[in-house]
Amino acid sequence: MYQHDVFISYKIGKIYGRWVYEVFFDFFKEYLDQELGRDSDIFIDKQSISDGEAWPERIKHSLAKSRCLVALLSPLYFSSLWCKKEMSVMLFREKHLGYRTLTNPNGLIAAATLHDGERFPETINRIQSRNWQNFAIVGKGFENTRRYIEFQDQLKEFATNVAGIITNAPQWEDRWLSSECLDVPIEKYSLT
């Protein structure tokens, strides 16, 4: 049975890590809640892993129990072993469910580019993503710009799309907690 609607995957860092929490998360959650007509359950590392838990196991468990993955992409995302593992798990699930094919082009991954999408692996470039390079800015000055409003408009549309993925997610399968589904080699999807 699903536990989370969304698993947020991002590379922790001084700028983009702050941006996820200070700019992105609260707006995204509110807009997603509105679209779903209920309180969404979103897994995000710092808020979702309790003190004393084994974090690698919590991440794997939560990813397996999530309807979809929201990937916030930058070149360093693909230098993170954990980010690549998170992406591989969801790509594996999509493949085994027949997603991203000619007859079913839908997916379980919604992505946004925060920095330089030119250097992403080809597998990722095939996934339609939002370009938020002009919005991935931290600091109070950003709130006083026109871009801040543009970002909120785009985020509303993004939340609508993610709500669609959640609503159309396949039924839960117990095998998603198996090592076959959770320990997918990252090389399988050329994420290096």
Side-chain angles (χ1 to χ4, degrees):
M1 168 180 235
Y2 286 116
Q3 185 177 0
H4 308 290
D5 293 306
V6 176
F7 184 103
I8 296 181
S9 179
Y10 70 101
K11 171 72 169 110
I12 296 172
K14 290 182 181 179
I15 295 174
Y16 297 135
R18 275 183 57 199
W19 181 86
V20 168
Y21 283 92
E22 292 177 12
V23 179
F24 170 77
F25 184 76
D26 287 340
F27 282 122
F28 175 66
K29 175 142 178 38
E30 175 70 23
Y31 296 149
L32 185 61
D33 291 351
Q34 295 293 339
E35 287 297 323
L36 293 172
R38 62 174 173 80
D39 191 31
S40 61
D41 189 302
I42 299 174
F43 178 89
I44 186 165
D45 58 356
K46 291 181 183 178
Q47 293 178 1
S48 301
I49 301 175
S50 299
D51 294 338
E53 285 187 311
W55 68 265
E57 287 74 16
R58 169 53 64 206
I59 288 174
K60 285 182 178 183
H61 181 268
S62 296
L63 183 59
K65 294 277 199 157
S66 295
R67 286 181 169 84
C68 70
L69 180 120
V70 167
L72 302 171
L73 306 172
S74 67
L76 290 180
Y77 182 96
F78 299 100
S79 70
S80 165
L81 178 61
W82 277 100
C83 290
K84 291 187 287 189
K85 283 183 176 197
E86 293 160 6
M87 181 68 74
S88 294
V89 166
M90 201 56 75
L91 287 168
F92 181 83
R93 186 186 302 177
E94 286 181 347
K95 181 176 173 106
H96 284 275
L97 292 169
Y99 283 76
R100 299 199 191 278
T101 63
L102 188 59
T103 56
N104 185 10
N106 298 318
L108 300 172
I109 299 167
T113 300
L114 305 183
H115 190 101
D116 185 19
E118 299 295 318
R119 297 181 280 160
F120 293 171
E122 184 56 35
T123 303
I124 302 308
N125 286 333
R126 294 184 63 234
I127 298 172
Q128 181 66 33
S129 68
R130 296 280 172 155
N131 183 344
W132 287 345
Q133 294 180 64
N134 290 330
F135 307 129
I137 301 167
V138 293
K140 293 291 180 191
F142 179 53
E143 293 179 14
N144 297 321
T145 67
R146 177 177 291 251
R147 284 191 218 171
Y148 191 65
I149 296 167
E150 291 172 15
F151 173 65
Q152 291 176 57
D153 289 339
Q154 282 201 24
L155 194 50
K156 285 178 187 175
E157 292 175 15
F158 185 76
T160 299
N161 292 338
V162 172
I165 295 171
I166 292 166
T167 302
N168 295 312
Q171 288 191 333
W172 161 256
E173 294 184 26
D174 288 333
R175 70 184 175 122
W176 293 339
L177 277 170
S178 71
S179 62
E180 172 199 14
C181 295
L182 291 173
D183 296 324
V184 179
I186 58 175
E187 297 79 22
K188 182 175 181 108
Y189 295 102
S190 303
L191 297 177
T192 54

